[in-house]
Amino acid sequence: MFTYEEIMSLNELEMNVCQYILKNKEKAGYMKIRELADEAPVVTILEILGNKLYRLSLGG
């Protein structure tokens, strides 16, 4: 889970992706990244997830 501070630091595109995932938990939980990119309301989902994963791997 993300902390409150991490959620509040999301930009508009990142927030859109999070909202899509939260609204579609059952479906999104089993989707591949490419499938999620096709469904989510933004085209930069791979970049957004990549950036978040990179930041998490650096501990912040």
Side-chain angles (χ1 to χ4, degrees), residues 27-43:
K27 183 178 175 181
Y30 296 98
M31 294 173 81
K32 296 177 183 175
I33 296 295
R34 296 243 180 240
E35 294 170 332
L36 187 57
D38 289 340
E39 296 286 327
V42 295
V43 292

Side-chain angles (χ1 to χ4, degrees), residues 13 37 40-47:
L13 291 176
V42 295
V43 292
T44 58
I45 188 167
L46 293 173
E47 180 181 334

